[in-house]
Amino acid sequence: MKKIYYISHIEAEFGILDLVNQVREFLECNVYETTNDPQSAAKRIVSDATVQAYTSLEIPVPSQDIDKNNVYQLQQVRTTGGKIWRGGELRRNAVWVWITEMKLHAKSKKCNIRGYNGRVIGLLNVVFILRGKSQEIYKLAHITRLNWTGNGKPGRPEGMSFLGKFTGREGQNVVWVQAIEGAAHLILLEPSRNWIVNNWVDYHI
């Protein structure tokens, strides 16, 4: 599903606070960082751009159950925004995001966000295409990043790690759509609202 928005509309419909500023910061750091005035360039496009918003994304991921090299199948991840999923709760799939080539906020440096092998896990809030008046096109997503609890390296025989939620603005990030590698399989640990996660991406998980 797609709709036409301005970025401010996504803030309201998908419940993402301060999205306009987060998009501006991301573009400053990852698109306009070499220009004479990154802040003005990013502010211009954010104020003028229209946005196509999506609630699902298809990602090619490796299929380990097929005995061939380089076999990929399409894995679909979803977010419902402010709408419930099939009469139940709101839905935000967890995804693996490759962060090595990105700065995730204005004060961060590349690779200074804690991850596992250059990746983080986040809950997918929205996928959107930003179109500027000068034909600029940026394919972006917004995630609520989860935090490694203790050692990020898997410490269990089955290759699992522990995750928890950030509080406040710290875990909110705009990312490139192409950096999303696939779904993450989270197992909720009650009642602490922490999770355990497998440390790989596969179509069948």
Side-chain angles (χ1 to χ4, degrees), residues 43-55:
K43 185 176 181 179
R44 173 189 56 79
I45 191 169
V46 166
S47 62
D48 294 342
T50 57
V51 179
Q52 291 172 289
Y54 298 78
T55 56

Side-chain angles (χ1 to χ4, degrees), residues 124-136:
L124 183 66
N125 297 320
V126 67
V127 176
F128 57 102
I129 298 178
L130 187 151
R131 299 177 185 274
K133 288 186 176 180
S134 300
Q135 307 304 313
E136 306 99 329

Side-chain angles (χ1 to χ4, degrees), residues 83-90:
K83 300 179 176 63
I84 61 175
W85 171 252
R86 294 182 178 176
E89 297 180 352
L90 304 181

Side-chain angles (χ1 to χ4, degrees), residues 90-107:
L90 304 181
R91 178 170 176 174
R92 294 184 298 164
N93 284 160
V95 292
W96 284 100
V97 183
W98 178 254
I99 62 168
T100 302
E101 303 300 325
M102 287 187 289
K103 294 181 180 177
L104 292 188
H105 56 79
K107 295 181 181 179

Side-chain angles (χ1 to χ4, degrees), residues 69-90:
N69 293 326
N70 299 320
V71 174
Y72 289 77
Q73 296 193 45
L74 290 177
Q75 184 181 73
Q76 190 168 70
V77 294
R78 297 180 183 275
T79 177
T80 62
K83 300 179 176 63
I84 61 175
W85 171 252
R86 294 182 178 176
E89 297 180 352
L90 304 181

Side-chain angles (χ1 to χ4, degrees), residues 23-35:
V23 172
R24 177 183 53 76
E25 289 176 359
F26 181 84
L27 295 177
E28 285 178 24
C29 296
N30 295 279
V31 176
Y32 301 113
E33 71 275 20
T34 60
T35 64

